[in-house]
Amino acid sequence: MTNTTSAEECLQKRYWYYFLASSLIVFCAGIAFILIYRLIIWLCCLVSTPPHGASPKVANHPGTVNPPPPKRKGSTTNANSTATNTTLQKPSDSEIGYITEAKDWAGELISGQTTTGRILVGLVFLLSIASLIIYFIDASEETVESCTPWAESPRQQVDLAFNVFFLIYFFIRFVAANDKLLFWLEVFSFVDYFTIPPSFVAIYLDRNWLGLRFLRALRLMSIPDILTYLNVLKTSTMIKLSQLVAFFISLWLASAGFLHLIENAGDPWVDFDNPQLLTYWECMYFLLVTMSTVGYGDVGAKTVLGKIFIVLFIMISIGMFASWIPEISDILGRRQKYGGCYKKERGKKHIVVCGHITFDSVSNFLKDFLHKDREDVDVEIVFIHKILPDLELEGLLKRHFTQVEFFHGTVMDANDLARVKIETADACLVLANKYCEDPDQEDAANIMRVISIKNFHAEIKVIVQLMQYHNKAYLLNIPSWDWKRGDDAVCVAELKLGFIAQSCLAPGFSTLMANLFTMRSDKPATDMPQWQCDYMRGTAMEMYTEYLSSSFNGMTFPEAAELCFSKLKLLLLAIEVRQEDGRESTLAINPGSKIKIENATQGFFIAESAEEVKRAFYYCKNCHAQATDVRAIKKCRCRPLAQFKKGVTAVIGFGNKLATGRFRQYNLNHSWKHKVGSYRYTANPLLSKKDRPTSGSKDKANAPVPLAAGEKRISFSLGKTEKLTKHMSLRGPRLAMPTTPTVAALPPLSQESQDTSVCPGEEPRKFDSTGMFHWCPSRPLIEARMDREKASATVLCNHVVVCLFADANSPLIGLRNLVMPLRASNFHYQDLKHVVIVGNIEYLEREWRTLQNFPKITILAGSPLNRANLRAVNVNLCDMCVILSAKDKNLDDPHLVDKEAILCSLNIKAMTFDDSMGLIQASAQQAPGFLPPGFSPIGHSKRSRRGSVCGSNVPLITELANDSNVQFLDQDDEDDPDTELYMTQPFACGTAFAVSVLDSLMSTSYFNDNALTLIRTLITGGATPELEQILAEGAGMRGGYCTPSVLANRDRCRVAQVSLFEGPLAQFGEDGTYGSLFLFALRNLGILCIGLYRFRDTNESSSSPSSKRYVITNPPEDFKLLATDQVFCLAPCNLSQSSNSSPKDRREEINTHKKVPKVKKKKNKHKGNYSGYCPPLSF
């Protein structure tokens, strides 16, 4: 009772103004001191200034310094002399001596760049928080002013110790400040004025006043700086978030403390008789409710000062709350959704996908990567992009949330790479924008991403998508780029133009291959025409890999392929062949009978699903030899399976990689050496034969068999399977092994490219240094250029016309990739198709640097939309017309990107031609009568085919940038605009190709790092890493000598298209089945059939049959054949023997070729041109 009474008596007189006055006195005294000091310095400088015209004295200089010359009227004063004079006349304001040293010491002490400074700043922050906590306790337990003696209050003693430390820190900051007046007016300086002096006054008065100690809450605003010093905050988003949160909390706590002070103290002009007892926490609650504009009314300000403060607080805080809180929420929401770090599950793989991340690119990627035919793909996909996903992409990510995660960031930042756990990722895939405005800039950006990824983690496997072929060379400059590790580049231009080039040689092959490496499912419908049902079944076929069971051991490849086809209902395409040293393996595509299956050999199959391919792994000759149902071929108990690798590996499917120790031994500087006959040479790993047949063999079975494909002939020699041992490396350096077909023979237009150093009738032997391509010395563009008159006077036939739309400044598309497959060395020189390019001459001058070493190329300057130009190049007599566009594809309306290509296609189809050329040539051949147009009699395979009367029969292939534009190419189809590209008629017929089909190659390359090499093998002309290194030098292709090692590289298996109308397979053209055709071709000719190219309208009910064909991939065994069908096949060739033979042997070979008896032609309802049938015109 006594203590309470004494406390009340003590509080009868209040001394709050002493505490407040101490703070104000310190502040005003400091201001006065700074101003007086500055005034004294100014007066001293004014006094020390010499009179006008006097020479100033210089310290330690006995004489005087001459003043600057007087300024003349109209002249300018030299800046340097003025500065020097000013320096001499006016002493420097900067401190010197010990003052400067003290300032430097203080600056280093409080700087966040030093360890001491960071520790000091952190300690100040922690003590400020501790002092604020003491204030919270005092505000909760005591009144605003209390008479507790200082000696009896441990909290006051601790707080005084803190304030002593703050005083020392304030003095250090003052010394280090450059502008003392600005420092005195800083926010943190005001915090010290109103918190440090009152703590000393409390000792003197022996009482405590809460006062303005709540200002310590403003120290929370330094949290972002401290966290930045400690390297905790690394991103601008997090720094911004911490600043917003710190400022909001600081203002909230400080305002609550001020309201608590004035409400509990009352108004001073009424002698503090109207106080309202509010706790500090009630004040915080009231201010938060006020800021949020809720205003419950349960708590409010009653004092006049409190009401005035609330009015001002509302005007400031409501705007702050309305803008900052949503921004904080947005940042927190984004961080929660797309921030943070990837949490990797134990035992589960993940890949990182970066680059061009949009809804279209991600949906195409996921559609193929997560296809159901891959069985259980236990791989998580982590996307990282600097732009947050839009609503469309966000919805896509939610649909695949169990296997897909998105992170906001960039691979150019090491912190973001660490967030997505790039060091433990199985691979990193970099996607490109195929519709970019500048392909070279897009490639440069993606290469920089690869550099950043490799710099962070050199061991990771990187698969990058590039636009231009020549930019692949820059990847070789990255030290950690290693093909052996699985690093690869999917070049869009190389593959796109390679597909189109194959369509020039084997129409429809681009569609067949595109369907094989893309994961699709058969979608039968009851109302589908028969041709669509056949085509759709073929689209469900994919390429897979699986280990062959021990029952295949000792079999030759034809025997194994026959067993797989007839027994297992699988198409065996190639096998893995180990080298003699056992350390390396190659891929042998249809190698013939000299290669025998060894234990645990991996095979490459065409099948509908990975489940079907398991039959090759489970097959047991003891248990399954009598099985008639393929579903009965399952795992048996008569042999151990532990010695084999379980599970199916899809080339474009499930991800077991080829023999880890085998296919990763290749180095770009490494050479394989093989023995061929008596020669030891260094060549590419295509060749692994030890015994090569001699050219002197006269066996009748080894004589070349003439095959006619329509009006064209197959220009490879067909013999026994002993001659067909050709290995094509799938792995190694991801060699692009050429397997280009030929379906026509083109007589050379001129002799400009003929080799005069060889005897007449002998094939010219001019190839590049790798032996993969025909080569000629560099030619200037003027020699290859011709005008319209010269083109009209030249007999152009069986050629390839390239309609190119480009401006002078259009980005290069790399026409070399289109020409290279057409100039593969596994063609005879006379079989090379002449290439005529119609387009802008300024653009072609830029492309010519890469084309000047290829023979039989002609340039016609002009627009491909000009019909006179098209007639001049005999577009109606060409084997293929290719329509390309290099113009800007980044337009506002995506449907307009293909406008030139579509107009050109429709323009050609609307043209009509006379057939006088066909009549003249037919009469000159002295044929007994006209065959169906486009078909040549045996022995006259070199004659040109009759031209198309209708432009709609001209063979076309059009490149499209936008898939939906395919609906405008064919006016007679009924494709829905929303139909997927592969289901449309132009794509099924091989007359349209879109770059979007290449999106699947990224996932294909990941699941099997040999798949991309296999695809390059089947579509390019033989671009090896050796050649890529040569081209990377920028000097173009180099010619090579016709050595046995170079000529041996010509022996490469290739894709061909064989007609069933006549030739050795004509017996199956009428009422034959695909199964009997397959077995006959494999057993007797060594040919591996892979599909059919059939007329769309084969039904007798068709009133006006179309000349369009469609692709059927791997038909069933009982599939009925027609005489008009053409067969896609993998046929061996052996050109090195004919190259090494004498002219006499060559002439004997030609004579033998001519003596082959004719094959009786089959009748068919098509009476017109089978390769380009034109319905009768109605007049």
Side-chain angles (χ1 to χ4, degrees), residues 975-1031:
D975 291 330
D976 188 89
D978 297 328
T979 304
E980 293 187 68
L981 175 68
Y982 80 97
M983 298 176 64
T984 60
Q985 177 178 287
F987 186 81
C989 297
T991 60
F993 185 83
V995 71
S996 62
V997 302
L998 302 178
D999 291 337
S1000 302
L1001 286 178
M1002 293 298 288
S1003 54
T1004 297
S1005 302
Y1006 165 71
F1007 283 113
N1008 192 301
D1009 51 4
N1010 302 284
L1012 191 57
T1013 303
L1014 174 62
I1015 294 168
R1016 288 193 185 119
T1017 299
L1018 296 174
I1019 67 168
T1020 65
T1024 62
E1026 179 187 358
L1027 178 61
E1028 290 184 1
Q1029 283 188 321
I1030 294 173
L1031 297 178

Side-chain angles (χ1 to χ4, degrees), residues 802-805 838-839 862-867 869-870 904 907-908:
V802 180
C803 298
L804 179 61
F805 292 92
V838 183
S863 172
L865 290 174
N866 190 324
R867 290 192 175 187
N869 292 334
L870 297 175
C904 183
N907 183 43
I908 295 175

Side-chain angles (χ1 to χ4, degrees), residues 1087-1104:
I1087 296 177
L1088 187 65
C1089 301
I1090 59 176
L1092 297 176
Y1093 199 43
R1094 169 171 289 188
F1095 278 119
R1096 191 193 68 180
D1097 296 333
T1098 57
N1099 195 335
E1100 294 291 340
S1101 62
S1102 300
S1103 57
S1104 56

Side-chain angles (χ1 to χ4, degrees), residues 401-524:
F401 73 96
T402 57
Q403 289 185 279
V404 175
E405 289 193 43
F406 186 95
F407 289 91
H408 184 216
T410 172
V411 293
M412 301 302 297
D413 189 343
N415 298 319
D416 291 333
L417 290 175
R419 288 171 51 216
V420 296
K421 300 293 188 296
I422 198 74
E423 66 277 1
T424 60
D426 197 44
C428 182
L429 280 61
V430 185
L431 303 181
N433 180 10
K434 297 182 292 297
Y435 311 109
C436 60
E437 185 175 354
D438 190 341
D440 287 316
Q441 290 297 323
E442 179 70 14
D443 287 349
N446 278 343
I447 292 174
M448 283 301 301
R449 293 185 178 101
V450 175
I451 293 174
S452 176
I453 295 167
K454 286 290 188 179
N455 186 57
F456 185 85
H457 184 57
E459 301 298 321
I460 188 172
K461 171 182 175 180
V462 177
I463 303 173
V464 58
Q465 197 174 43
L466 297 180
M467 298 299 299
Q468 301 286 13
Y469 179 75
H470 59 267
N471 290 326
K472 291 174 66 175
Y474 298 114
L475 294 172
L476 303 178
N477 300 330
I478 304 176
S480 54
W481 182 267
D482 190 358
W483 300 88
K484 296 184 295 183
R485 188 182 296 114
D487 298 336
D488 211 338
V490 178
C491 180
V492 174
E494 174 192 19
L495 298 173
K496 175 187 68 176
L497 295 178
F499 274 102
I500 294 175
Q502 289 299 327
S503 293
C504 299
L505 300 167
F509 181 70
S510 60
T511 297
L512 184 143
M513 276 302 301
N515 289 335
L516 280 181
F517 69 74
T518 306
M519 302 298 289
R520 295 182 178 129
S521 299
D522 187 10
K523 300 177 182 178

